[in-house]
């Protein structure tokens, strides 16, 4: 009985240990360098520096949407590029809390804790060994980009929703799978991939029920609702896409995007920025893990992981480290790969250290991903 | 869980999400922007000016404050579609100067349009101009208006290509040309000034669609998103590819003229192509990336561009430029802003398709007029 209780506490313990350390490191990193090192800084709540460090870069867009609504100017960087569910939840919490930053962090942290529990449940459902389950949880919580789960970013919410879609799809509970896919589609553009996941999972079932298949057609409603909203409000249903050029993202193919990053290094004309190195490494990691994802988890997990990196990479490799951190199938594959305890400890230690360092870097306004 | 319960959860989720979306995240039509928190979000990296945050009380117009030279801006939800009105209720002491400012350039935020009022005796000196990338204020218009009170309502009605200034509800300056108006708006002050209120109000519904795609039966797009807004043709998408809008009909030209305004980059020009579906063997005349030269060249069989000749010109970005081609039997003359250039194009003695081109740039085109063997025609003009 005691052991069972302890197992249920494991995600909570992982959450407390990793988030607690992150909070401390980010705060002290900011304290250690009181002047901003990076450029483009702002302070949402300078009176609360231990929380303020978690609102950097894109956080202002989410907080801006939550507090002032969407704004759209096609030729300028504007918050229309960001999806509405996360800022809406911030707004809902803020009705009670009345401090947008605290509200945002409550949403992010609760979503991440819930995501760890859902991942725990999914690993049990897939009948992975205890060590693989635990390693998956630790790797997810300490991946170098996992500090974004503690920031004012939609990563933790999307991780939770995508996990719930997979969890319910594996249980053939299609109604809830569709429900969470709708919500995921309103959180990020890649949420639409979960519709594909549901269809692939449904296709595997025997006998296939047409009624269920029709229900799955509702899965893109989150994205469609948002597009209708944009169409009605701004006469541009794909404003979130059209505004990407203002963020220096251009439509190119993935190979061209990788070549664009590597070219200066190969031709010797320039050095590779360290954050691009992280992005490319994360991409390579996904490619390495995909065969194992396919073997142990199936096509839906594989295609979801592959397209989750191909969609952002089609407009540039920037921020891939962050996008990969929400790919739990990759974390499961890594946990399966790292069977040797010493190797696992070495990788885990490296991940943890990198995550803490990057959190400190992020807190000091240096762009990570 | 029963099917009915699941259906109820579905409906509630969808209705709730959409309800919150429309009620919570839509910018309202009129907002008081003077009392929002976090004035410095987005502003500090952009502005080199001292923000007035913490030094001014922008509350009720009672507290007159001294400012050396101050600027406070707020990013506002200004749509790229509608026009808007920026209203400032100001209290300006004698010899002090204050006004309204709004973002003027699409990228880099280097320039702002600025309208100021200065009390000179019993008169207001009203000036309209812009702040350039060096931070200098350049004057475009000025006028004197009798001053009845130190408290005034200054209002700017900002449209697509021009704006006008109203003082206490009376229009005092009209048709001030505008290259671009963006999403920043705010106040500027020097001396003893107070701001009672700063309002931003859309004057045109966001839902109203004013742009249409160029008629595909007349125009063929070889890349880019081209749209017509109030007879103004616009290419908004910036790309390192040649973005071309080409006239479907091949004509034997005698004369072509149009006006072009480059809003980003400089690589904008004209195409004369044998085909309306490709750039093979087309002739290109366009500004170079710096805007300091005009050059021409040809695309080969593989649609690869080969330059032939260029000529130095006066860089004059942010102004409408008039380009005119006069087709003679032996050569084609080029006129820029009414002056003939030394550089000439070869003769076009057979029919060709006329095209407009953008490369790593954004531009607006107007007053495209053609004279050909089929007579005179105006393709679009305001």
């Amino acid at each position: 009985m005691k052991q069972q209780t302890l197992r249920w506490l494991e995600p909570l313990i992982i959450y407390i240990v990793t988030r607690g350390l992150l909070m401390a490191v980010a705060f002290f990193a900011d304290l250690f360098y009181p002047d901003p090192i990076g450029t483009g800084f702002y302070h949402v709540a300078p009176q609360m520096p231990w929380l303020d460090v978690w609102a950097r870069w894109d956080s202002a867009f989410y907080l801006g949407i939550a507090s002032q609504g969407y704004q759209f100017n096609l030729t300028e960087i504007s918050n229309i590029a960001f999806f509405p569910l996360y800022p809406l939840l911030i707004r809902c919490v803020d009705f009670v809390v009345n401090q947008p930053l605290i509200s945002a962090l409550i949403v992010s942290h609760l979503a991440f804790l819930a995501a760890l529990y859902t991942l725990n449940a999914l690993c049990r459902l897939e009948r992975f060994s205890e060590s693989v389950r635990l390693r998956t949880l630790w790797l997810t919580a300490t991946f170098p980009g996992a500090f974004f789960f503690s920031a004012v970013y939609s990563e933790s919410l999307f991780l939770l929703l995508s996990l719930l879609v997979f969890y319910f799809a594996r249980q053939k509970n299609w109604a809830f799978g569709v429900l969470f896919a709708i919500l995921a589609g309103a959180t990020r553009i890649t949420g639409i991939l979960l519709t594909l996941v549901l269809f692939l999972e449904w296709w595997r079932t025997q006998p296939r029920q047409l009624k269920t298949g029709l229900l799955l057609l509702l899965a893109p409603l989150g994205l469609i609702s948002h597009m209708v909203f944009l169409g009605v409000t701004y006469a541009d249903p794909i404003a979130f896409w059209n505004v990407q050029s203002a963020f220096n993202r251009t439509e190119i193919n993935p190979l061209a995007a990788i070549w664009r990053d590597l070219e200066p290094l190969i031709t010797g004309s320039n050095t590779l920025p360290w954050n691009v190195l992280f992005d490319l490494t994360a991409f390579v990691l996904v490619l390495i893990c995909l065969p194992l994802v396919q073997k142990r988890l199936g096509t839906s997990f594989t295609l979801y992981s592959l397209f989750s990196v191909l969609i952002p990479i089609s407009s540039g490799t920037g921020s891939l480290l962050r996008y990969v951190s929400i790919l739990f199938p990759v974390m499961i594959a890594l946990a399966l790969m790292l069977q040797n305890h010493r190797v696992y400890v070495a990788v885990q230690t490296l991940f943890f250290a990198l995550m803490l360092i990057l959190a400190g870097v992020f807190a000091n306004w240096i762009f990570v991903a | 869980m029963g099917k009915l319960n699941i259906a109820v959860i579905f409906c509630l989720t969808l209705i709730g999400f959409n309800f919150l979306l429309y009620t919570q995240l839509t910018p309202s039509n009129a907002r008081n922007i003077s009392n929002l928190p976090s004035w410095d979000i987005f502003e500090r990296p952009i502005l080199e000016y001292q923000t007035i945050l913490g030094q001014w009380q922008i509350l009720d117009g009672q507290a007159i404050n001294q400012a050396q030279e101050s600027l406070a801006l707020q990013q506002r939800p200004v749509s790229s579609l509608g026009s808007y009105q920026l209203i400032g209720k100001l209290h300006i002491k004698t010899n002090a100067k204050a006004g309204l400012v709004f973002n003027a350039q699409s990228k880099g935020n280097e320039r702002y349009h600025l309208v100021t009022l200065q009390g000179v005796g019993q008169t207001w000196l009203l000036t309209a101009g812009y702040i350039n990338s060096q931070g200098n204020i350049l004057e475009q218009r000025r006028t004197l208006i009798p001053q009845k009170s130190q408290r005034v309502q200054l209002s700017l009605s900002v449209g697509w290509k021009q704006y006008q200034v109203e003082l206490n509800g009376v229009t005092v300056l009209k048709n001030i040309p505008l290259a671009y108006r963006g999403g920043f708006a705010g106040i500027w002050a020097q001396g003893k000034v107070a701001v009672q209120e700063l309002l931003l109000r859309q004057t045109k519904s966001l839902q109203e669609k004013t742009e249409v795609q160029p008629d595909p039966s007349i125009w063929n797009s070889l890349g880019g998103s081209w749209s017509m807004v109030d007879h103004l043709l616009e290419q908004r998408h910036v790309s390192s590819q040649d973005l071309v809008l080409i006239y479907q009909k091949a004509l034997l030209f005698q004369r072509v003229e149009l006006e072009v305004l480059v809003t980003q980059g400089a690589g904008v020009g004209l195409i004369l192509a044998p085909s309306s579906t490709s750039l093979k063997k087309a002739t290109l005349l366009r500004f170079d990336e710096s805007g300091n030269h005009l050059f021409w060249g040809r695309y080969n069989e593989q649609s690869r561009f080969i330059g032939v000749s260029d000529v130095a010109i006066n860089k004059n970005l942010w102004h409408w430029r008039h380009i005119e081609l006069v087709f003679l039997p032996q050569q084609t003359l080029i006129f820029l802003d009414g002056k003939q250039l030394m550089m000439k194009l070869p003769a076009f003695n057979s029919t060709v398709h006329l095209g407009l081109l953008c490369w790593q740039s954004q531009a607006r085109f107007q007053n495209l007029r053609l004279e050909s063997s089929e007579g005179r025609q105006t393709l679009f003009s305001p």
Side-chain angles (χ1 to χ4, degrees):
Chain A
M1 185 67 188
K2 267 184 181 175
Q3 204 177 5
Q4 209 169 9
T5 312
L6 192 67
R7 274 185 196 163
W8 273 108
L9 283 176
E10 279 162 0
L12 181 64
I13 292 166
I14 292 169
Y15 167 83
I16 291 170
V17 171
T18 59
R19 301 306 109 176
L21 268 170
L22 270 176
M23 294 278 277
V25 166
F27 172 63
F28 284 111
D30 190 38
L31 205 65
F32 195 66
Y33 295 104
D35 294 323
I37 299 169
T39 54
F41 70 96
Y42 56 83
H43 289 287
V44 172
Q47 73 281 14
M48 297 183 290
W50 58 94
L51 297 181
D52 181 76
V53 291
W54 294 106
R56 297 286 185 262
W57 302 105
D58 290 353
S59 306
F61 291 114
Y62 290 116
L63 292 170
I65 300 167
S67 55
Q68 295 164 14
Y70 274 114
Q71 45 191 262
F72 178 35
N73 207 319
L74 188 65
T75 51
E76 287 173 356
I77 287 178
S78 62
N79 64 23
I80 205 90
F82 298 83
F83 275 51
L85 186 62
Y86 179 63
L88 266 181
L89 290 177
I90 296 174
R91 188 139 180 156
C92 291
V93 176
D94 202 45
F95 279 126
V96 182
V97 176
N98 204 22
Q99 211 307 334
L101 176 62
I102 296 176
S103 306
L105 292 176
I106 287 172
V107 174
S108 288
H109 278 261
L110 285 182
F112 183 58
L113 181 59
L116 284 180
Y117 272 98
T118 313
L119 184 58
N120 191 47
L122 184 68
C123 286
R124 284 174 191 277
L125 192 70
E126 295 295 318
R127 297 177 193 278
F128 289 125
S129 67
E130 284 298 290
S131 67
V132 168
R133 179 183 64 80
L134 260 180
R135 284 172 186 185
T136 303
L137 291 177
W138 275 107
L139 286 167
T140 305
T142 60
F143 189 73
F147 69 88
F148 281 106
F149 297 135
S150 299
V152 185
Y153 274 69
S154 63
E155 260 62 21
S156 53
L157 178 64
F158 189 78
L159 175 70
L160 170 65
L161 294 170
S162 56
L163 275 162
L164 286 167
V165 172
F166 275 95
Y167 179 76
F168 284 111
R170 283 296 212 207
Q171 287 207 320
K172 298 185 179 58
N173 189 336
W174 304 111
F176 277 102
V178 169
L179 187 68
F180 290 115
I182 290 173
L183 295 175
T187 309
R188 298 175 84 122
I189 180 76
T190 47
I192 195 68
L193 288 175
L194 294 164
T195 304
L196 173 75
V197 167
L198 287 170
F199 270 103
L200 287 169
E201 289 294 321
W202 170 72
W203 191 256
R204 280 176 4 125
T205 56
Q206 290 297 339
R208 252 175 253 131
Q209 286 183 327
L210 185 65
K211 218 163 53 176
T212 311
L214 290 174
L215 176 71
L216 302 188
L217 290 174
L218 298 176
L221 274 181
L223 175 63
I224 291 170
S225 295
H226 183 44
M227 287 169 70
V228 170
F229 165 74
L230 293 176
V232 169
T233 315
Y234 297 106
D236 187 353
I238 53 164
F240 56 83
W241 187 263
N242 288 335
V243 83
Q244 290 298 323
S245 60
F247 286 82
N248 288 328
R249 281 186 170 271
T250 48
E251 294 150 39
I252 47 179
N253 70 59
L255 288 176
I258 294 166
W259 174 248
R260 189 177 59 184
D261 287 340
L262 284 177
E263 193 184 12
L265 189 70
I266 292 166
T267 57
S269 60
N270 212 338
T271 53
L272 195 66
W274 61 268
N275 59 327
V276 176
L277 188 68
F278 273 108
D279 292 333
L280 291 175
T281 310
F283 179 62
V284 172
L285 184 71
V286 174
L287 294 183
I288 291 170
C289 291
L290 279 183
L292 193 59
V293 172
Q294 175 64 29
K295 190 178 169 190
R296 296 297 297 269
L297 293 164
T299 311
S300 58
F301 287 76
T302 312
L303 289 182
Y304 170 71
S305 304
L306 181 64
F307 284 114
S308 290
V309 289
L310 285 185
I311 289 177
I313 215 174
S314 64
S315 60
T317 57
S319 305
L320 265 187
L321 178 72
R322 181 157 55 87
Y323 301 139
V324 172
S325 62
I326 55 173
L327 292 183
F328 60 89
V330 172
M331 304 305 151
I332 294 173
L334 260 183
L336 287 165
M337 263 187 227
L338 300 171
Q339 292 293 348
N340 183 308
H341 186 68
R342 282 186 185 174
V343 177
Y344 165 72
V345 170
V347 171
Q348 182 65 82
T349 310
L350 178 70
F351 273 17
F352 210 156
L354 282 175
M355 180 181 76
L356 295 177
I357 291 167
L358 292 180
V361 167
F362 173 80
N364 276 295
W365 275 108
I366 296 169
F367 186 78
V368 178
Chain B
M1 192 175 285
K3 282 180 182 172
L4 185 66
N5 288 347
I6 290 170
V8 169
I9 292 172
F10 255 86
C11 292
L12 284 178
T13 305
L14 274 172
I15 293 168
F17 171 65
N18 279 286
F19 173 77
L20 288 172
L21 202 54
Y22 287 92
T23 56
Q24 302 298 315
L25 300 189
T26 312
S28 57
N29 285 342
R31 282 175 183 220
N32 188 329
I33 64 172
S34 60
N35 58 357
L36 284 174
S38 309
W39 275 80
D40 56 344
I41 286 187
F42 297 113
E43 273 87 79
R44 272 199 276 182
I46 297 159
L47 294 176
E48 290 174 0
Y49 302 89
Q50 175 192 10
T51 59
I52 61 172
L53 183 72
Q55 296 167 32
W56 272 36
Q57 290 298 312
I58 314 165
L59 292 171
D60 55 4
Q62 296 303 312
I64 297 287
N65 292 273
Q66 182 81 35
Q68 287 295 320
E69 183 177 294
S70 299
L71 178 64
L73 294 178
Q74 178 68 42
Q75 190 170 33
R76 299 305 307 152
V78 178
S79 164
S80 57
L81 299 177
S83 301
Y84 66 88
Q85 200 173 24
L86 185 64
I87 305 162
K89 292 179 183 171
L90 308 165
H91 187 167
I92 308 165
K93 287 281 192 181
T94 304
N95 294 327
K97 200 172 172 184
L100 301 174
V101 59
F102 62 96
N103 191 208
Q105 187 167 306
S106 61
K107 202 170 181 184
N109 302 296
E110 290 161 333
R111 284 163 66 167
Y112 303 87
H113 283 284
L114 173 67
V115 174
T116 59
L117 274 173
Q118 184 174 15
V120 184
Q122 292 302 304
T123 313
W124 286 120
L125 171 63
L126 189 142
T127 55
Y130 57 86
I131 305 172
N132 68 7
S133 52
Q134 285 78 45
N136 302 320
I137 297 172
L138 304 172
E139 209 174 279
Q140 287 173 297
R141 301 267 190 90
R142 64 160 59 195
T143 186
L144 289 168
I145 303 149
Q147 186 190 122
K148 290 174 186 166
S149 161
Q150 290 183 337
R151 292 191 175 198
V152 287
Q153 178 177 302
L154 181 65
S155 168
L156 309 183
S157 295
V158 184
W160 259 102
K161 294 190 293 177
Q162 57 191 29
Y163 69 99
Q164 65 179 36
V165 184
E166 290 123 42
L167 195 64
N168 296 326
V170 179
T171 305
V172 286
L173 284 179
K174 279 167 74 170
N175 302 332
I176 307 168
L178 193 63
Y180 180 85
R181 80 285 189 289
F184 290 87
I187 48 175
W188 182 92
Q190 197 174 42
K192 289 186 173 180
V193 181
V195 180
Q196 185 182 355
E197 206 169 24
L198 190 60
L199 288 163
L200 187 72
R201 184 175 292 148
Q202 285 164 222
T203 49
K204 216 182 228 180
S205 166
L206 278 170
Q207 282 88 331
E208 193 177 325
K209 291 182 183 177
T210 53
E211 57 179 273
V212 291
Q213 299 303 311
D215 188 346
S217 65
I218 299 173
W219 293 96
N220 184 30
S221 173
L222 301 186
S225 53
W226 298 83
S227 58
M228 299 285 298
V229 182
D230 301 335
H231 302 287
L232 194 74
L233 181 68
E234 191 172 39
Q235 165 56 268
R236 285 175 172 178
H237 185 60
V238 176
S239 169
S240 55
Q241 306 290 321
D242 285 331
L243 305 178
V244 179
L245 190 70
I246 202 153
Y247 194 49
Q248 290 276 20
K249 202 170 188 178
L251 295 167
L252 188 60
F253 289 106
Q254 289 150 7
R255 190 185 173 93
V256 168
E257 64 173 316
L258 92 155
E259 287 171 45
V260 57
L261 175 75
V262 181
T263 52
Q264 190 179 326
V268 174
L270 284 170
I271 288 278
L272 292 156
S275 161
S276 67
T277 54
S278 84
L279 291 177
K280 278 179 193 171
K281 294 188 173 179
T283 301
L284 162 68
L285 171 74
R286 78 160 167 84
F287 297 100
D288 72 350
E289 297 86 282
S290 64
N292 290 320
H293 289 81
L294 196 66
F295 69 89
W296 80 273
R298 284 200 186 91
Y299 292 86
N300 66 11
E301 278 286 1
Q302 288 76 42
S303 298
R304 197 184 168 92
F305 180 74
I306 297 152
V308 176
S309 171
D310 66 359
V311 63
I313 55 166
N314 289 330
K315 187 171 179 172
N316 203 1
L317 298 175
W318 292 93
H319 289 88
W320 284 98
R321 305 209 72 165
H322 184 265
I323 301 172
E324 187 176 350
L325 300 181
V326 178
F327 296 78
L328 302 176
Q330 288 81 31
Q331 58 192 7
T332 304
L333 307 179
I334 307 165
F335 293 83
L336 182 64
D337 299 331
K339 289 180 185 168
Q340 189 186 344
L341 302 182
M342 295 286 284
M343 186 174 73
K344 296 176 179 69
L345 292 178
F348 294 88
N349 293 322
S350 57
T351 60
V352 283
H353 298 268
L354 177 74
L356 308 170
L357 176 137
C358 280
W359 182 85
Q360 287 198 343
S361 304
Q362 277 174 257
R364 293 172 187 166
F365 301 87
Q366 67 174 5
N367 291 327
L368 176 55
R369 296 193 170 93
L370 312 176
E371 275 180 52
S372 69
S373 50
E374 294 191 357
R376 289 184 184 191
Q377 58 177 319
T378 301
L379 292 187
F380 49 84
S381 66

